Amino acid sequence: MSNQALPRPRFNAPEPEHGPSERGSKVAPKVEPRTAPLLQGKVSEIPDAFFAAAMRLCGFAVVALLGLIVYQLVIGSHLSWHAFGWKFFGQSDWNPVEDQYGALPFIYGTIISSILALIIAVPLSLGVAVFITEMCPVTLRGILSFLTELLAAIPSVVYGLWAIFILVPVLRQYVQPFLATTLGWTTLFSGPPYGIGMLAAGVILAIMIIPIISSITREVLTVVPQHQREGVLALGATRWEMIRLGVLRNARAGIVGAIILGLGRALGETMAVTMVIGNRPEIAKSLFAPGYTMASVLANEFTEATGDLYLSALIEIGLALFLVTIVVNALARLMVWSVTRGQPARSLA
Amino acid sequence: MGVGINVEHLNAFYGKTQALFDVNIAVAANHATALIGPSGCGKSTFIRCLNRMHETIPEARVEGAVRIGDLGVYNGTSATQLRRRVGMVFQKPNPFPTMSIYDNVAAGLKLNGFRKRKQLDEIVHKSLHSSALWDEVKDHLHKKSGASLSGGQQQRLCIARALAVQPEVLLMDEPCSALDPISTGKIEELIFQLKEQYTIVIVTHNMQQAARVAEFTGFFLLGKMIEFDKTEKIFTNPSDKRTEDYVTGRFG
Ligand SMILES: Nc1ncnc2c1ncn2[C@@H]1O[C@H](COP(=O)(O)OP(=O)(O)O)[C@@H](O)[C@H]1O
Ligand SMILES: [Mg+2]
């Protein structure tokens, strides 16, 4: 047949091989005489055993590394833990001069900036992924996904620079005044529009995690079998309903996974945030106000930390950041588990 | 009640490749019509032209006229509107894995804005009965997902899902080719029952199956409808030499 070389239709599983056309073929196949088995002789077990041992070692190395990190952080934060105890995490006073340390403003800043980033990034990323996989012309598809992935490769300090020179002025001149007049009553958008502050950090974080969330979501969406889309369409669904029921719903575990990965990146992101968040250890309700994150305070103050207690307090923040990340991931995984109703989270990256 | 299907001068293309050549056929209402032919001869392409499912392939194109009952498939009707009246069952069972059995069956109705709980319950019950699945699933309608069923049950679930929106026509593209003989038997029995109320077009690789369930059979070869007649005639006394070669297995 002339069009034999065409790719098989995506919607068809391979046809059964026993169609009448094969069965009725007139030329009987001629089987060549067989020779002695070509693969004979003993097989050595040693390379396999060696390989197994090496892999086991690698596996254990990860666990050991994790253990070492925790050990180091716990030892290092000993002093601060003794001085403040649990109050360290509930106290918002950060005063190296008087050796008073409380981590609350940093925890607050990390969580709020990350949540803000997710609020902005999740809908956008899902939109990008859905557009690329479901709606955009094939020619544009490759280019668009390549470009989004390229965004993920930009060093965060470059994002920080861009934020300082472009994002912050735009926020200060246009966005913040607008938000203040329209949504000022919520008190989330009040106070002087500096540009620099929690909002800027959230926005730059959002921009940084969009490529991660959207590219993983895109991968997850392309894995959804074509027959699911067709099943929904055949019931008389519109395109949007097909995307919602046939695609997004089937991919939800993977999408949650993508969001977690984005959150993980946002929680730990240091450089770009440090450049725009304002670096003031205060808890302000307004998103216009400057803030501080756990990662930023470590980056900023570690080299200047004079005094053992100061250093120890910083290490304790490091430990807390570590724990927050773990707790967030555990929670998110629990979420994945519950949305997939106890099925293993298959498409989770 | 089912409605008839009228196809006139249907040509289908994938990009520059023509997959169907001037197909003409009149499918009788409330009967089962089987389509047979070797792999790649255009059976799936044809059946997908009837509910415009070929439109999921970007470069696919169709010429000609198809009427389903009073509905012009290619003039003035939206694909969405059409597919609510023309149900489809696919080769590979494709229940929605994230939905319960109940929601699988109710999916089509819910999509179209149907929300009345009592009526939904009733229709789900009826559809599962019609697809001979009710007794096997009635105890875990809401607990089990559509994907937890066996292959044959999944396919009957897909049939129930298609029936729930009360279509006039049911298209089936090799519905049994992924199933074991027992499930296949059940589905054939089902088709036999269903054709009293629905017009059924079924693509099959299995000529015994065509002979068992269908009153009419069409033979496709290389994108052309070679012969279309009463099933009995096709299998016992075909007018075309190529049909005879195929049904007697002397093909090639
Ligand atoms: N998505 C597609 N793109 C290009 N060609 C296709 C596509 N689907 C089917 N074809 C071609 O159309 C012809 C008919 O295919 P199909 O309708 O699937 O045959 P059948 O269902 O009878 O096995 C085949 O030659 C096949 O290669
Ligand atoms: Mg086919």
Side-chain angles (χ1 to χ4, degrees), chain A residues 11 24 227-228 230 236 249, chain B residues 48 57 80 83 94-95 98 251:
Chain A
F11 52 81
H227 63 66
Q228 284 293 314
E230 299 193 340
R249 193 180 161 119
Chain B
R48 293 165 72 90
I57 295 156
T80 313
R83 290 178 193 141
N94 59 350
T98 56
F251 193 81

Side-chain angles (χ1 to χ4, degrees), chain A residues 1 3 6 8-9 12 15, chain B residues 14 19 39-45 57:
Chain A
M1 231 164 90
N3 47 11
L6 277 171
R8 287 296 304 154
N12 271 346
E15 301 275 8
Chain B
Y14 292 105
S39 290
C41 66
K43 305 179 300 290
S44 297
T45 306
I57 295 156

